[in-house]
Amino acid sequence: MVSCCALIQPSLSWADAGDVFNLSAGVSVLSDDNLFRLPSSADPKSETITTTTVGLNLDKSIGLQRVLANVKMIDYRYSRNDYLDFLAFNYDAKWLWAAGTRWTGEFAFQRSQLPNDYANDRTLGRRNVQTYQLNRFEANYWFHSSWAALAGVLRTSLDNQVPTGVDGDYEADGYNFGLRYLGASGNSLTARAIHLEGSYSKRPFDSFFQFDNGFTQDNYQLDLSWRVSGLSQIRGRIEYLDREYQHFSQRDYSGVAANLQYAYAISGKTTLTLAYIRALEAYQQLTTSYYVLDDVALSAQWLATNKITVNGLLGYGRQDYRGAIIPLPAGVPQREDNTARLAVDVAYQAARWLQFKAGVTLQKRNSNYDIYEYRDRTAFVSATLQY
């Protein structure tokens, strides 16, 4: 939502790709004229959010082994709604291991904490920090210079301070296996099947609202990163997912999901990227079990000078809510939301170790349920220090 920015005095050294350790620190100020994403009739409230970030990056190679880590402490401070203040601790760490030339793989540990998303979660008047964790191990056996068989295990969890209708707190364990191709040109394809067994850790079993205590989920994925030409590349994921609940099949859902990007370099200074996301997400109420999101966005990056970069984005998304467990009254449709957004930001690289940035984002959501409509404008200024 906001950028990291500078907070301490610059060092005599600066961030360098060859350093084992890189430090960052920052502060950002964001103005939001509709923090709770309310319709105009509900008297939207504005807010100013100050975010202070301190981070550490590690990149160390020892022989065939490589360790990567990105650790951040993010302090969120709200000027009017200080009950929302919190300190987030996030990390993304990997050990890229290798045993000879045939065996490679990784241990990965990820944790992220995010504040309320009021667009879909209306837990107004309460702080609801969401914590997501993913730990996994994967091994590749390279039976050919370009082909490998892969297998692994994973554990994931989601924790909310306040129960939500998006998805209850859960813990899930699973395994995956598949096939990977890595060409000499750098193009890659990975086909993977993932099986998860999950349980809801805090939400009580409820036969009336059909809140289950467990689920299974199968994902069949194709990851790709493919250079179409010297100027363009396509990357992302296509998958088919199937979620089934232990007791209430009315809540089950399945379908195709995707997260794809096509990037085209118009020139050495200008790049266009077309992105498409299709997602199926749990959203459990009496009138819905999940929603399908289709979102398309066109973004552009222009290197105006060797110090100034301009970014722009134009996007449109549609959310269709499905899986009602009670009959809707005659003439009452399922909920549908349509969201348009426009964003522009400018970055100024004052020095190798210091960047200033400012931007504005406009959003408008229309819905056939009036209470979910909103308009929102955010603007931010930030600076980032790395050394």
Side-chain angles (χ1 to χ4, degrees):
M1 178 177 65
V2 291
S3 299
C4 307
C5 30
L7 180 66
I8 60 178
Q9 294 297 319
S11 168
L12 295 178
S13 60
W14 47 76
D16 188 274
D19 292 344
V20 174
F21 292 99
N22 284 309
L23 300 176
S24 63
V27 71
S28 176
V29 179
L30 179 138
S31 174
D32 190 333
D33 71 350
N34 188 1
L35 175 66
F36 300 116
R37 304 299 186 262
L38 297 174
S40 301
S41 59
D43 189 22
K45 304 298 182 183
S46 62
E47 179 60 276
T48 300
I49 307 167
T50 302
T51 307
T52 305
T53 304
V54 177
L56 170 66
N57 288 310
L58 167 67
D59 188 343
K60 176 65 175 177
S61 295
I62 306 173
L64 297 177
Q65 317 305 313
R66 187 180 180 189
V67 178
L68 301 169
N70 183 356
V71 181
K72 287 184 179 180
M73 299 285 289
I74 307 175
D75 186 38
Y76 293 84
R77 297 291 165 177
Y78 294 74
S79 63
R80 296 181 176 86
N81 301 276
D82 57 5
Y83 66 90
L84 296 174
D85 295 350
F86 79 100
L87 180 65
F89 175 56
N90 300 334
Y91 57 78
D92 186 359
K94 296 181 178 69
W95 170 25
L96 306 179
W97 62 269
T101 58
R102 295 286 187 180
W103 289 95
T104 65
E106 67 178 56
F107 284 97
F109 308 91
Q110 181 181 347
R111 182 180 195 264
S112 63
Q113 288 186 303
L114 296 172
N116 304 49
D117 174 16
Y118 291 110
N120 286 322
D121 176 19
R122 296 302 177 87
T123 53
L124 304 182
R126 295 176 293 180
R127 183 179 66 187
N128 184 22
V129 177
Q130 184 180 86
T131 303
Y132 171 78
Q133 295 190 78
L134 172 64
N135 302 321
R136 60 189 177 87
F137 167 80
E138 190 167 278
N140 306 288
Y141 175 68
W142 294 90
F143 58 86
H144 183 274
S145 59
S146 299
W147 291 90
L150 64 90
V153 294
L154 68 151
R155 180 177 181 82
T156 182
S157 65
L158 179 70
D159 180 79
N160 294 280
Q161 286 185 317
V162 178
T164 73
V166 178
D167 201 2
D169 297 357
Y170 67 81
E171 297 176 349
D173 296 289
Y175 59 85
N176 69 92
F177 58 89
L179 193 65
R180 172 170 286 131
Y181 167 78
L182 179 59
S185 63
N187 292 336
S188 65
L189 293 171
T190 302
R192 180 189 284 110
I194 302 174
H195 178 77
L196 289 174
E197 298 278 350
S199 61
Y200 290 99
S201 53
K202 294 181 181 178
R203 187 178 69 185
F205 182 86
D206 191 316
S207 58
F208 177 75
F209 287 98
Q210 296 191 13
F211 290 157
D212 217 318
N213 53 13
F215 65 89
T216 62
Q217 182 167 311
D218 291 291
N219 297 58
Y220 305 96
Q221 301 176 346
L222 178 65
D223 295 307
L224 70 156
S225 178
W226 204 270
R227 186 163 293 280
V228 181
S229 69
L231 300 176
S232 62
Q233 182 182 24
I234 186 170
R235 55 186 179 268
R237 170 178 296 169
I238 303 173
E239 67 179 322
Y240 179 85
L241 68 86
D242 182 8
R243 177 178 284 205
E244 297 182 353
Y245 292 91
Q246 291 183 0
H247 301 93
F248 306 117
S249 60
Q250 296 93 327
R251 293 286 192 189
D252 296 351
Y253 60 88
S254 61
V256 175
N259 188 342
L260 297 170
Q261 293 183 340
Y262 175 74
Y264 180 75
I266 297 177
S267 67
K269 293 186 175 182
T270 306
T271 302
L272 290 178
T273 302
L274 180 64
Y276 171 67
I277 295 175
R278 181 177 175 85
L280 285 73
E281 300 290 345
Y283 193 93
Q284 297 187 355
Q285 298 177 338
L286 285 173
T287 57
T288 181
S289 297
Y290 69 101
Y291 66 80
V292 178
L293 168 68
D294 286 289
D295 185 277
V296 63
L298 178 64
S299 60
Q301 183 178 83
W302 175 43
L303 305 180
T305 71
N306 61 346
K307 291 182 177 292
I308 299 174
T309 303
V310 181
N311 296 287
L313 181 144
L314 180 63
Y316 177 82
R318 178 185 176 92
Q319 287 178 230
D320 293 321
Y321 292 78
R322 304 176 182 177
I325 62 174
I326 60 171
L328 293 173
V332 177
Q334 286 275 36
R335 177 182 161 190
E336 295 179 358
D337 299 341
N338 298 281
T339 305
R341 62 193 185 279
L342 173 67
V344 178
D345 66 64
V346 179
Y348 174 64
Q349 196 73 37
R352 290 184 62 184
W353 40 265
L354 179 62
Q355 182 188 76
F356 296 100
K357 198 171 186 179
V360 61
T361 299
L362 305 176
Q363 260 192 132
K364 179 183 179 182
R365 182 164 76 180
N366 294 318
S367 176
N368 57 352
Y369 286 28
D370 292 346
I371 62 171
Y372 294 111
E373 292 190 341
Y374 69 83
R375 292 174 179 264
D376 179 60
R377 180 181 68 248
T378 60
F380 75 90
V381 293
S382 70
T384 304
L385 171 67
Q386 293 185 332
Y387 66 96

